[in-house]
Amino acid sequence: MSAAPRRRRLTGGLRVALPPAEAFRLFTPYGEREWVEGWEPRFPEGVADDTAPGTVFQTGADGAATTWIVLHRAHDPHEPGSSVSYARVREGVHAGTVGVVLAPDGSGHSDVTVTYDLTPLTVAAEAELAGFADGYPAFLRSWEEAIAAHLARTAETPRGHR
């Protein structure tokens, strides 16, 4: 008899060269479009605030549809830290949550902690999730590099052309 699929809780960090109040938008459904290649969230109904708890959206990365639901948001531009969490289901593959916590690092930048807590939905999906777990540090480094490149590009763009 084969073993049951294994849940994975993966936590890691990255640094963003913005204070948390400004960096928060980079981890929202609309904000990720600025730095994630191919990220195009689709909302089944119009939304004024893409981080309002209960908001549902879908993405189609790697040819697989993923459904997301905003679970929690703590964001006040006048407070030092922010957080947002999502439920995430890739049908037939895995389900779980993704949480992002932004804290000031003392130099005007943000220390960002990202936690994926995923359970494979089939024994076959366990191998995919194990591969994701093995590559998680590199995955977060790629986020840090993509965000830094995005911030460098926007810093070079004249104010009237954004």
Side-chain angles (χ1 to χ4, degrees):
M1 185 156 120
S2 52
R6 243 181 61 207
R7 177 180 176 186
R8 304 285 180 139
R9 188 169 198 276
L10 310 167
T11 298
L14 61 137
R15 179 151 298 160
V16 175
L18 293 171
E22 294 176 41
F24 178 81
R25 71 177 165 65
L26 298 171
F27 300 96
T28 66
Y30 286 140
E32 285 197 29
R33 292 185 303 189
E34 297 178 21
W35 62 273
V36 178
E37 181 88 26
W39 179 266
E40 195 55 51
R42 295 175 310 281
F43 296 83
E45 60 181 54
V47 295
D49 179 353
D50 65 335
T51 63
T55 299
V56 174
F57 64 100
Q58 294 182 305
T59 58
D62 303 324
T66 301
T67 299
W68 302 76
I69 304 166
V70 179
L71 298 174
H72 164 83
R73 170 199 58 207
H75 176 62
D76 181 341
H78 306 291
E79 293 295 319
S82 296
S83 63
V84 63
S85 64
Y86 305 95
R88 169 194 165 123
V89 178
R90 182 170 284 178
E91 190 61 41
V93 181
H94 59 253
T97 60
V98 178
V100 178
V101 177
L102 299 95
D105 75 348
S107 70
H109 297 164
S110 297
D111 284 326
V112 183
T113 302
V114 181
T115 301
Y116 275 71
D117 187 349
L118 300 172
T119 299
L121 299 176
T122 65
V123 173
E126 165 63 20
E128 179 184 322
L129 189 53
F132 179 69
D134 290 343
Y136 194 66
F139 175 68
L140 291 183
R141 273 194 308 280
S142 74
W143 281 23
E144 187 172 72
E145 292 165 2
I147 290 170
H150 162 69
L151 294 176
R153 282 190 306 275
T154 58
E156 294 170 0
T157 304
R159 286 220 174 263
H161 294 87
R162 287 188 186 169

